[in-house]
Amino acid sequence: MVASKSRGKKHRSSLPGPTDKRIDALLSLLVENPTIVISGAQIAKEIGVRRQTVWRWIETLRAAGVKVKGHPRTGYHIERVPDILAPKLLARRIHGAPFAKRILHFFKTDSTNTVAMRLGEKGDPHGTIIVAEEQTAGRGRAGRSWASEKSAGIYVSILLRPQISPMLAPALTLAAGIAAYDAIAEETGLPPDIRWPNDVMLNGKKVCGILTEMHAEPDRIHFAVVGIGINVNQAKMPGELAAIATSLRIETGRVHSRLETLARLLRHLDRYYNQFTAEGAGPILRRFAEVSSYFEGKRVRITTSTETFTGTTAGLEPTGILRVKRDDGRIESVISGAVTEAE
Ligand code: BTN
């Protein structure tokens, strides 16, 4: 978790802005009418643009992997429902959740967390979702980067305005982890594990990482951004990552719908978040204890900014912080740091 009090620098980027709402409407029109050839003129009228713009945007969608058949003279139709994280397609699947109200989609951005932090500062509402098909500067914990191959993974950030003390923020981070756990278990049918605080693992390799950033004062959270990356359809993980990271596809041998997986994630997150605000951290910690082999009795190596030590996990504190019994018998509270399995 990263806390910040300072105002961010003004953002200057050559990257495109969020996807035009009318491209979203165009995609939705095609998806809702899969068996009908719709003329360019009709599409132009429906979404309120010129025919040339329709043609240009169809090309944009094709470049993003959407299979659109046809051309300006005959009309267009979609060959199959595309696996694109488009706001209208996503909102339909998470109907009723606060996350369905404001979804910003990017074909390409630097980091959805960076965008969400900026929107948080500008006062955007609780529940705003930022989702990207590709990140050029995806960020991980401890200043690491997050490999964000185009259209292969889920790169999403959720802007939250929780009315809780910053002390309870670690539990919020755990809630995101168990939501990702449930989504991945449902989608794959495999039993994942959670490495504290919220790395979701499949067969001992990391498949999902979460970066929570906050804008807070000692007694108040202005806003928190929960950034979640899930490796979904990567056929192989790049370079050195192959030894420690995996994707749903590598583990199941099947291609998975990113849209369905993201909808599952957001539905579970909505459920855990409501539970958290209504009942406090208790239910989240109990669920973590049920699903994570790291909760208790696990031999671990902890690397903090000042030291590395080994020990055995000894449950969580009421705020979600990990307790570790050092080999010399002392109990340590681990607020942040890298946790790995030790012999
Ligand atoms: C980790 O190091 O485990 C955390 C990885 C978090 C990656 C996600 S992808 C979406 C969001 N945007 C980012 O730049 N990072 C997070």
Side-chain angles (χ1 to χ4, degrees):
M1 171 151 350
V2 181
S4 132
K5 277 191 196 165
S6 61
R7 299 245 146 214
K9 279 195 223 125
K10 265 226 150 51
H11 181 78
R12 271 184 204 89
S13 165
S14 58
L15 291 164
T19 305
D20 193 306
K21 282 203 167 65
R22 292 164 302 176
I23 299 190
D24 193 28
L26 161 59
L27 186 60
S28 198
L29 189 67
L30 293 170
V31 169
E32 276 158 14
N33 300 283
T35 54
I36 303 171
V37 174
I38 315 174
S39 73
Q42 196 183 340
I43 296 175
K45 199 167 151 213
E46 292 256 355
I47 66 171
V49 295
R50 293 171 351 135
R51 278 171 65 174
Q52 290 92 320
T53 310
V54 172
W55 175 79
R56 199 159 41 80
W57 285 352
I58 293 276
E59 290 307 310
T60 305
L61 292 176
R62 284 178 174 147
V66 181
K67 301 268 180 271
V68 186
K69 267 212 142 167
H71 51 79
R73 262 178 296 143
T74 54
Y76 304 98
H77 76 105
I78 210 145
E79 279 186 298
R80 61 182 150 81
V81 177
D83 191 21
I84 190 164
L85 307 175
K88 276 182 184 290
L89 302 180
L90 183 58
R92 201 187 298 154
R93 286 167 169 79
I94 55 169
H95 186 70
F99 311 137
K101 289 204 194 103
R102 181 159 161 73
I103 304 172
L104 291 182
H105 173 271
F106 290 78
F107 281 106
K108 191 196 264 197
T109 192
D110 47 5
S111 151
T112 55
N113 261 41
T114 305
V115 175
M117 286 299 281
R118 212 161 52 232
L119 294 181
E121 290 194 13
K122 274 177 52 194
D124 274 43
H126 171 81
T128 299
I129 297 281
I130 317 297
V131 62
E133 302 296 320
E134 181 182 6
Q135 297 185 118
T136 55
R139 298 191 282 115
R141 284 202 302 268
R144 285 187 293 267
S145 60
W146 184 259
S148 308
E149 184 187 330
K150 180 177 161 186
S151 303
I154 291 171
Y155 318 113
V156 65
S157 298
I158 302 115
L159 174 63
L160 299 171
R161 297 191 180 275
Q163 310 279 307
I164 56 165
S165 148
M167 291 264 294
L168 279 175
L172 184 65
T173 279
L174 294 186
I178 56 179
Y181 172 100
D182 285 353
I184 291 168
E186 257 175 27
E187 178 61 34
T188 61
L190 298 173
D193 191 7
I194 306 185
R195 182 171 61 195
W196 186 90
N198 51 23
D199 289 340
V200 183
M201 318 287 288
L202 278 176
N203 296 320
K205 290 184 177 179
K206 181 162 163 174
V207 74
C208 166
I210 300 179
L211 173 67
T212 306
E213 298 181 285
M214 288 197 316
H215 202 293
E217 286 175 44
D219 61 340
R220 190 163 85 91
I221 296 179
H222 294 291
F223 63 85
V225 167
V226 177
I228 307 177
I230 305 182
N231 303 328
V232 181
N233 286 326
Q234 286 86 343
K236 64 182 178 63
M237 298 308 294
E240 290 173 358
L241 279 184
I244 53 167
T246 189
S247 71
L248 306 192
R249 178 176 172 184
I250 293 169
E251 296 308 314
T252 63
R254 288 184 282 125
V255 168
H256 292 266
S257 161
R258 289 181 309 137
L259 192 62
E260 280 305 331
T261 309
L262 177 55
R264 290 183 199 280
L265 170 70
L266 295 174
R267 284 195 294 260
H268 285 299
L269 187 63
D270 181 42
R271 182 168 58 83
Y272 284 122
Y273 185 81
N274 289 337
Q275 200 176 30
F276 180 46
T277 50
E279 299 170 46
I284 305 295
L285 304 192
R286 286 195 289 280
R287 180 75 180 139
F288 182 88
E290 266 170 31
V291 298
S292 172
S293 73
Y294 283 74
F295 177 68
E296 206 161 28
K298 181 90 152 182
R299 291 284 302 151
V300 286
R301 173 170 294 99
I302 309 287
T303 307
T304 69
S305 52
T306 51
E307 61 169 342
T308 296
F309 63 91
T310 52
T312 306
T313 59
L316 299 179
E317 290 186 5
T319 52
I321 286 170
L322 183 68
R323 284 199 204 106
V324 178
K325 187 173 185 189
R326 284 182 181 250
D327 292 342
D328 63 12
R330 280 181 293 154
I331 299 279
E332 199 76 54
S333 295
V334 180
I335 298 169
S336 66
V339 178
T340 51
E341 198 168 356
E343 278 90 59

